[in-house]
Amino acid sequence: DAGITQSPRHKVTETGTPVTLRCHQTENHRYMYWYRQDPGHGLRLIHYSYGVKDTDKGEVSDGYSVSRSKTEDFLLTLESATSSQTSVYFCAISSGATDTQYFGPGTRLTVL
Amino acid sequence: KNEVEQSPQNLTAQEGEFITINCSYSVGISALHWLQQHPGGGIVSLFMLSSGKKKHGRLIATINIQEKHSSLHITASHPRDSAVYICAVRSLRAGGTSYGKLTFGQGTILTVHP
């Protein structure tokens, strides 16, 4: 298995609070991705990174920001969490833009 | 209409049965992926293919680019195959240059009973 960890694995928070999710990899892969998974929607891309300090938006980026200051870490921040951001968040990595993506274990976030 | 449609949404089988899950897509693609998500939530990539057929153990994936259709087959199904199977496509950018973003189907929930 690819070395990908996510933290925290579970989080419950209140509407309006900031939340940061962390994805950490030990594979030295260039590309990192944040997805959310919701019933009826499948996985949807929030943001992705193609190198340190290089990021781009996905299809559901509103309300989310990301940062990548080191190759191994990709942070997803909800500046002011809303109930619509209750979801399971997956990080993924790949060595190249068109290569197989390897997924982390997921973070279950509940916003009350 | 979703760019990626899977059928069936739910599938129940008896151990030993041959299983087929279908994926249809509406855009030009550079590659198609099949992934497996177990009840614990972890997602594992099974296949990446752009033409023809690939086989790994009891799993076979086929793709027909002209018909924009792919199938995942499981031979001699087993209860441990119970999982959600997800199809994802990598779109072609205008001009034919591919890039890494994937569009996912909603998944097929497979339950195999002993």
Side-chain angles (χ1 to χ4, degrees), chain A residues 1 9 33 35 37 39-45 48 56-59 90 96-105, chain B residues 2 30-31 33 35 37 40-45 47-48 84 86 90 93 98-107:
Chain A
D1 290 342
R9 294 292 313 279
Y33 311 82
Y35 294 96
Q37 185 178 39
H41 288 280
L43 286 154
R44 292 180 291 173
L45 182 67
Y48 73 103
D56 201 357
K57 294 179 180 180
E59 60 182 298
F90 285 95
T98 59
D99 294 327
T100 296
Q101 293 184 17
Y102 299 95
F103 286 81
Chain B
N2 293 331
S30 63
H33 297 251
L35 306 104
Q37 184 172 25
I43 299 171
V44 176
S45 181
F47 295 102
M48 178 172 68
V84 178
I86 301 169
R90 180 174 300 122
R93 181 180 285 181
S98 62
Y99 59 109
K101 296 178 187 178
L102 296 174
T103 302
F104 296 81
Q106 294 186 26

Side-chain angles (χ1 to χ4, degrees), chain B residues 39-75:
Chain B
I43 299 171
V44 176
S45 181
L46 297 174
F47 295 102
M48 178 172 68
L49 62 165
S50 55
S51 65
K53 179 169 79 172
K54 287 190 175 180
K55 184 175 188 292
H56 184 256
R58 295 180 294 105
L59 301 178
I60 303 167
T62 64
I63 189 169
N64 185 318
I65 295 293
Q66 287 73 28
E67 295 187 2
K68 293 185 167 61
H69 181 268
S70 175
S71 293
L72 176 68
H73 305 287
I74 305 175
T75 63

Side-chain angles (χ1 to χ4, degrees), chain A residues 61-83:
Chain A
S61 59
D62 287 348
Y64 301 95
S65 62
V66 291
S67 66
R68 191 169 178 200
S69 59
K70 298 185 290 185
T71 297
E72 57 266 34
D73 288 324
F74 191 33
L75 304 180
L76 176 71
T77 297
L78 292 64
E79 300 290 348
S80 178
T82 67
S83 58

Side-chain angles (χ1 to χ4, degrees), chain A residues 1 4 14 18 22 39 78 106:
Chain A
D1 290 342
I4 313 168
E14 293 186 350
R22 180 183 184 232
L78 292 64

